[in-house]
């Protein structure tokens, strides 16, 4: 207890003595006794440290102004460089060496400013001369001005370290610089070496004549001048000898210890760091070898990629089986509910009251049968359905007839019900002939009741309504049961009738007719065939029906249901089957049809009903045995070409259209497949669908299956429009008779093509056929077309009563020069582009009365479809990841981190490699699906949902690919920055380049898009790293995403270099024009670039699409 009290008293005495010397003399004089006192040493060290630390208040504003680009927090960075509180031993040693006048040898703020101004001004070792000052100039140059030496001020001069204006006179007692300090050439004071530096006293190398380890020479002519201390602290290139060497650590600026085993020490380390468990760290290790982690990650990721490569199909197959079971349950539930319970109830009631129903209602149910009937019944069967001749005998007839009719009708009803009970799954149609006008009036328009469920719902619903009207006062015991069959209303398709009158299409800029004076009508419930030779304008005719003819002037009228309305107002219930089979090859048949049904059927339609629609289409198209087969692509074989064609048609059938337009659906199909397809279309026509299709050379059997025919001649002129049954009769009236065993459509097309000539007795040429048809129907005929008919010049005046008008003829180009023709082509192309843009942005009100799923719901559907597609493309994805792994290994091994540039070279390669590889991958998202998008957008699907789903699925790559690359690059390159910082930068970089790739994929074809994807990162990186002082280049580099990514990488790494690295950090960042505070801004710029590029890509996708 007495000893502790004695020490405490001695400490207080020392403190008092120290304070006296500090405040009254400004100098601390220590003798050997006081230096041996630990308490006094601590107080002395704290005093010196406080004096040095106070310099931050003087330089803080200057540092923020001049060095704000490389220093974030002045006090924090200053403490990390000059906080000697943990190891202040060199201060005690210097106090002993200078005999207590150390404070008079430390540089003031003005002298520190001189040194660092010279350093930032570009002073190198070869020309390391500071500006002349009071102590060192041309007239006064003492030994203290030499490198490694310093002098003191006079004893009676008080030194204010905060004085940044006046340099004190230091000319007395010049001596070598203390260890732990450095004394620059040109000033006579000492500056503390920062933490991480090793500044021992220099020793003369007799061989080289240099002062090791600092490499400065002794001045000539001064034999008493010896080697002093350190002479410079600058960047690592200029003053590498001051930095604590790699493999060692320096806890203070005068101590250097070797790294022990299990630890590693980088250049400028103040403490040794523990190695990871699996890392290799021998004694004096400069860095930990964490390649083992990279190999483990490579093996693990490779194993996962192998599993993904081989098992992705199995995962999808299992999922599809589960979904198939769910759909089967839905179908079974609907069928049990609708076809068993309701049909059974209706059947029992119908059997029980069959006689009463026959007496009360004049209604018959009959199945068409190909059997001989009596003469009277044969006459009735030949009458049109719904006409008076087709009506059954009414109650007002004779009693015998009535009794016979009752008996016959009763038998038919019983047979029909028995057949339903025996064949509940039969979908063959029934024909309902209604005698009552009121029932006929309220029957579904344009829709034949050809399914059992719809027939019974409708029939018994009408029975119940009429029974209730006639027997209001009677209590029907079976009405409640019958109403069960009418719980679900029949879904009615709105009918669309398209009439076109005097339709003409002229190419803009050339005044060339593509179609002229076409008049006709497409009726609901009928299948119309458009035929004609090549160049007759069949596809142009279909385009005109949809209301779009880009680059053309369209005249005439197109009436929809008798009104002048835009056909685009009904696009939700219009199906268009393109000539090419635009079907997703990496989906199954059922998945393709199911997606189209979910997106285009009414949103309020229950899922079981949608399932039944898809099932009906699959069965009608004969695709049951391939429903779970992949459609296939060019690289991967799938279903046959005929089945693919039927899937192409089924995509439009599942949306239950009211108008179905098909462009050559039978091309490439054999006769049996064509008949199967046409039977399915005829069943659709029974639902009231208006079907129009272009056909090339159909067989006679197929030809007879059409209801109407539109025959076009070259130049877009119509030769016939009407019933197929009357086409031969019409051409026979013109003297064109089809020979025996010759297919009529082939014969007519050969005549229109000019291959065959009509018989001379007919007096008709193939050029006269369009005019003959117009005259036959009383349509107005242009005068120039009348003159083309020989011997009919006199008919010109006669046809004036028909309203003939002179239409512009096709302008010949015989006298047109090459320049004129070229200018016409340019104008035509410009008009086409202009009209295409107008069509893409034009919008018309919806008159289809169908509410399809909204954007969010369609986004979910697109997301599900894209998820399946990406899983099936897992092998391609695995190859992409493998390439990234190899790139990370190569760049991480070859481009080691350089302390001088903070790894800028390796990061430059990283930016180029990641940009290139991720762009090439992102191009596939839109380049390969352009045709599919054009078709789906034309059908009314949401472009926004499509784009967002694509982008959302690609977010998986945005998250995983940086991790894959970094797992190799980081563990082979081993930078000082953290994994998290590098990962965040890579995520923003991948997000940015993915958006740019979207825009390239949409704007260009696949070939040019790939070329741009390769050139952009290379060129932009060269611009971003250019050292040219051209202001234009600098302005462009500020807009390059590669500069922001590279700056973020370098800054994240530079933040880890502290202490002795401060000057190196500032010099490197200043040379490259980077700012250590711009790390968040760089990430924001990369993200904004990704967002803006996505907006531009979406705009281009909507604007430049081809519908």
């Amino acid at each position: 207890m007495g000893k502790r009290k004695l020490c405490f008293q001695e400490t207080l005495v020392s403190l008092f003595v120290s304070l006296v010397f500090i405040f009254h003399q400004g100098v601390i004089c220590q003798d050997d006794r006081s230096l041996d006192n630990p308490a006094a040493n601590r107080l002395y060290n704290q005093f010196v440290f406080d004096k040095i630390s106070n310099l931050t208040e003087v330089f803080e504003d200057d540092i923020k102004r001049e060095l704000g680009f490389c220093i974030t927090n002045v006090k924090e960075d200053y403490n990390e460089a000059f906080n000697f509180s943990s190891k202040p031993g060199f201060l005690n040693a210097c106090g002993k060496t200078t005999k207590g006048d150390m404070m008079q040898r430390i540089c003031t703020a003005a002298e520190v400013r001189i040194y660092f101004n010279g350093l930032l001004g570009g002073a190198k070792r070869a020309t390391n001369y500071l500006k002349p000052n009071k102590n060192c100039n041309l007239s006064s140059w003492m030994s203290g001005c030499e490198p490694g030496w310093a002098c003191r001020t006079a004893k009676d001069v008080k030194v204010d370290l905060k004085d940044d204006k006046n340099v004190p006179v230091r000319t007395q007692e010049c001596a070598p610089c203390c260890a732990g300090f450095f004394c620059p050439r040109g000033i006579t004071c000492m500056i503390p070496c920062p933490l991480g530096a090793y500044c021992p006293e220099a020793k003369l190398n007799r061989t080289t004549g240099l002062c090791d380890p600092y490499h400065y020479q002794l001045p000539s002519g001064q034999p008493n001048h010896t080697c002093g201390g350190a002479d410079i602290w600058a960047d690592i290139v200029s003053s590498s000898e001051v930095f604590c060497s790699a493999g060692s650590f320096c806890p203070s600026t005068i101590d250097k210890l070797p790294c022990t085993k299990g630890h590693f020490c980088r250049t400028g380390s103040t403490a040794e760091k523990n190695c990871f468990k699996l890392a290799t760290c021998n004694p004096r290790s400069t860095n930990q070898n964490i390649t083992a982690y990279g190999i483990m990650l490579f093996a693990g990721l490779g194993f996962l990629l192998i599993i993904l490569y081989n098992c992705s199909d199995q995962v999808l197959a299992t999922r599809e089986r589960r979904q198939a079971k769910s759909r089967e349950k839905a179908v079974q539930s609907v069928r049990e509910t609708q076809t068993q319970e309701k049909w059974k109830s209706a059947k029992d009631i119908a059997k029980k009251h069959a006689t009463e129903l026959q007496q009360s209602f004049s209604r018959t149910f009959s199945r068409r049968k190909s059997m001989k009937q009596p003469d009277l019944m044969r006459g009735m069967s030949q009458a049109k359905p719904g006409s008076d001749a087709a009506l059954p005998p009414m109650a007002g007839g004779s009693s015998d007839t009535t009794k016979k009719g009752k008996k016959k009708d009763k038998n038919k009803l019983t047979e029909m019900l028995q057949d339903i009970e025996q064949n509940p799954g039969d979908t063959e149609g029934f024909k309902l002939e209604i005698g009552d006008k009121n029932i006929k009036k309220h029957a579904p328009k344009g829709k034949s009741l050809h399914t059992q469920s719809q027939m019974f719902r409708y029939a018994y619903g009408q029975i119940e309504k009429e029974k209730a009207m006639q027997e209001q006062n009677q209590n029907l015991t079976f009405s409640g049961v019958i109403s069960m069959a009418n719980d679900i209303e029949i879904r009615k398709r709105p009918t669309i009738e398209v009439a076109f009158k005097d339709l003409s299409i002229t190419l803009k800029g050339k005044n060339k007719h593509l179609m002229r004076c076409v008049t006709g009508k497409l009726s609901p419930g009928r299948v119309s065939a458009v035929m004609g030779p090549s160049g007759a304008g069949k596809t142009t005719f279909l385009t005109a029906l949809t209301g779009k003819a880009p680059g053309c002037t369209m005249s005439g009228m197109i009436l929809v249901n008798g009104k002048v309305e835009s056909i685009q107002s009904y696009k939700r219930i219009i199906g268009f089957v393109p000539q090419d089979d635009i079907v997703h090859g990496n989906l199954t048949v059922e998945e393709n049809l199911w997606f189209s049904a979910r997106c285009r059927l009414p949103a309020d339609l229950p899922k079981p009903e949608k399932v039944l629609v898809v099932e009906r289409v699959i069965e009608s198209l004969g695709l049951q045995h391939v429903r779970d087969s992949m459609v296939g692509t060019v690289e991967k074989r799938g279903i046959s070409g005929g089945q693919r064609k039927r899937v192409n048609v089924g995509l439009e059938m599942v949306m239950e259209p009211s108008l179905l337009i098909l462009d050559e659906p039978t091309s490439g199909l054999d006769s049996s497949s064509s008949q199967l397809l046409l039977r399915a279309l005829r069943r659709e026509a029974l639902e009231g669908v208006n079907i129009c299709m272009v056909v090339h050379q159909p067989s006679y059997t197929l030809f007879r299956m059409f209801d109407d025919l539109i025959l076009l001649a070259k130049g877009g002129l119509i030769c016939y429009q009407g019933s197929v049954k009357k086409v031969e009769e019409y051409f026979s009236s013109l003297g064109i008779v089809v020979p025996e065993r010759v297919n009529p459509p082939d014969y007519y097309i050969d005549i229109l093509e000019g291959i065959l000539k009509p018989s001379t007795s007919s007096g008709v040429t193939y050029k006269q056929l369009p005019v003959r048809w117009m005259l036959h129907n009383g349509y107005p005929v242009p005068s120039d077309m009348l003159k083309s008919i020989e011997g009919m010049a006199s008919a010109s005046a006669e046809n004036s009563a028909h309203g003939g008008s002179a239409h512009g003829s096709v302008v010949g180009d015989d006298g047109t020069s090459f320049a004129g023709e070229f200018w016409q082509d340019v104008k035509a192309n410009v008009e086409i582009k202009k009209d295409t843009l107008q069509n893409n942005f034009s919008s018309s009100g919806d008159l289809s009365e169908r509410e399809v799923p909204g954007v969010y719901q369609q986004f979910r559907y697109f997301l599900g479809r894209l998820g399946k597609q990406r899983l099936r493309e897992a092998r391609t994805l695995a190859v992409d990841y493998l390439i990234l792994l190899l790139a990370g290994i190569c760049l991480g091994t070859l481009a080691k981190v350089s302390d001088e540039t903070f790894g800028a070279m390796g990061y430059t390669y990283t930016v180029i490699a990641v940009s290139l590889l991720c762009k090439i991958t992102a191009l596939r998202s839109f380049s390969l699906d352009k045709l599919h998008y054009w078709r789906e957008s034309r059908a009314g699907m949401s472009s926004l949902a499509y784009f967002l789903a694509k982008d959302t699925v690609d977010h998986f790559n945005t998250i995983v690919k940086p991790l894959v690359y970094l797992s190799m690059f980081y563990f082979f390159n081993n930078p000082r920055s953290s994994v998290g910082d590098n990962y965040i930068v890579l995520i923003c970089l991948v997000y940015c380049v993915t958006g740019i790739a979207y825009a390239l994929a949409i704007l260009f074809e696949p070939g040019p898009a790939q070329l741009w994807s390769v050139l952009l990162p290379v060129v932009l990186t060269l611009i971003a790293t250019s050292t040219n002082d051209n202001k234009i280049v600098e302005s462009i580099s500020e807009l390059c995403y590669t500069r922001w990514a590279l700056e973020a990488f370098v800054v994240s790494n530079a933040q880890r270099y502290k202490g002795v690295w401060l000057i190196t950090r500032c010099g490197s960042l200043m040379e490259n024009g980077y700012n250590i505070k711009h790390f968040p801004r760089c990430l924001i710029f990369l993200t904004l670039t990704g967002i803006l590029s996505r907006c531009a890509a979406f705009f281009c996708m909507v604007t430049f699409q081809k519908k």
Side-chain angles (χ1 to χ4, degrees), residues 377-399:
M377 298 302 296
R378 183 182 301 140
M380 294 176 60
S381 64
Q382 292 176 354
K384 293 183 178 180
S387 62
D388 294 338
L391 292 176
M394 302 303 292
S398 62
S399 60

Side-chain angles (χ1 to χ4, degrees), residues 74 121 150 186 194 212 226 300 381 405 469 521 591 679 714 725 917 1027 1079:
V74 177
D212 289 340
T226 61
S381 64
M469 291 175 61
K521 182 176 65 172
E591 287 169 352
R679 288 196 190 100
K714 286 188 176 181
K725 298 178 181 179
L917 294 176
T1027 57
F1079 182 76

Side-chain angles (χ1 to χ4, degrees), residues 661-719:
I661 302 174
L662 305 96
D663 191 2
E664 301 184 20
T666 59
S667 297
L669 299 182
D670 55 18
S671 179
S672 60
S673 299
S674 299
Q675 291 184 28
L676 178 63
L677 177 60
L678 200 54
R679 288 196 190 100
L681 294 176
R682 288 196 62 83
R683 280 194 285 270
E684 288 293 306
L686 291 176
E687 292 282 345
V689 181
N690 190 344
I691 300 177
C692 179
M693 56 191 297
V694 173
V695 185
H696 273 302
Q697 294 182 332
S699 63
Y700 183 75
T701 304
L702 198 67
F703 176 69
R704 300 299 297 180
M705 295 177 70
F706 292 107
D707 296 316
D708 296 325
L709 172 65
I710 298 176
L711 192 60
L712 297 176
K714 286 188 176 181
L717 300 171
I718 190 167
C719 294

Side-chain angles (χ1 to χ4, degrees), residues 765-782:
T765 62
Y766 72 94
K767 293 183 179 180
Q768 299 173 354
L769 292 178
V771 180
R772 291 279 189 176
W773 171 253
M774 297 170 72
L775 294 174
H776 175 76
N777 291 277
Y779 298 151
V781 182

Side-chain angles (χ1 to χ4, degrees), residues 924-970:
R924 295 197 295 263
S925 296
F926 287 93
S927 292
L928 303 180
D929 289 344
K930 281 186 179 180
L931 293 177
H932 302 89
Y933 165 70
W934 290 340
R935 177 177 184 175
E936 291 169 353
S937 64
R938 180 205 55 80
M941 295 188 191
S942 173
S943 297
L944 181 60
Y946 171 81
F947 187 88
L948 291 179
K950 285 272 189 182
D951 190 33
T952 303
V953 171
D954 281 340
H955 286 342
F956 176 79
N957 286 333
T958 304
I959 296 173
V960 175
K961 283 190 174 181
L963 187 62
V964 172
Y965 176 82
L966 201 60
S967 63
M968 296 295 102
F969 176 82
Y970 188 86

Side-chain angles (χ1 to χ4, degrees), residues 913-1078:
V914 172
S915 298
L916 194 150
L917 294 176
C918 292
K919 278 184 181 179
I920 294 296
T921 304
L923 289 178
R924 295 197 295 263
S925 296
F926 287 93
S927 292
L928 303 180
D929 289 344
K930 281 186 179 180
L931 293 177
H932 302 89
Y933 165 70
W934 290 340
R935 177 177 184 175
E936 291 169 353
S937 64
R938 180 205 55 80
M941 295 188 191
S942 173
S943 297
L944 181 60
Y946 171 81
F947 187 88
L948 291 179
K950 285 272 189 182
D951 190 33
T952 303
V953 171
D954 281 340
H955 286 342
F956 176 79
N957 286 333
T958 304
I959 296 173
V960 175
K961 283 190 174 181
L963 187 62
V964 172
Y965 176 82
L966 201 60
S967 63
M968 296 295 102
F969 176 82
Y970 188 86
F971 290 104
F972 281 90
N973 189 273
N974 198 9
R976 296 198 182 191
S977 56
S978 65
V979 178
D981 289 343
N982 286 270
Y983 181 62
I984 292 174
V985 177
L986 279 176
I987 283 181
C988 295
L989 176 62
V990 174
Y991 182 79
C992 174
V993 299
T994 302
I996 296 174
Y998 288 167
L1000 295 176
I1002 292 171
L1003 279 175
F1004 302 104
E1005 296 297 324
Q1010 292 178 1
L1011 181 61
W1012 276 104
S1013 297
V1014 174
L1015 287 178
L1016 269 182
V1018 177
V1019 174
L1020 294 181
T1021 303
L1022 291 176
I1023 295 175
T1025 57
S1026 175
T1027 57
N1028 194 345
D1029 294 333
N1030 192 333
K1031 293 184 178 180
I1032 298 177
V1033 176
E1034 292 181 359
S1035 301
I1036 296 175
S1037 66
E1038 291 293 334
L1039 302 176
C1040 296
Y1041 77 89
T1042 52
R1043 174 185 172 83
W1044 303 330
L1046 189 57
E1047 183 176 358
F1049 276 125
V1050 172
V1051 165
S1052 65
N1053 203 27
Q1055 288 175 345
R1056 306 288 174 170
Y1057 289 81
K1058 300 176 181 178
V1060 71
W1061 292 98
L1062 273 180
I1063 295 179
T1064 305
R1065 185 172 79 183
C1066 292
S1068 179
L1069 294 180
M1070 181 174 62
E1071 183 179 359
N1072 293 299
Y1074 299 154
N1075 193 317
I1076 201 169
K1077 299 177 182 178
H1078 287 177

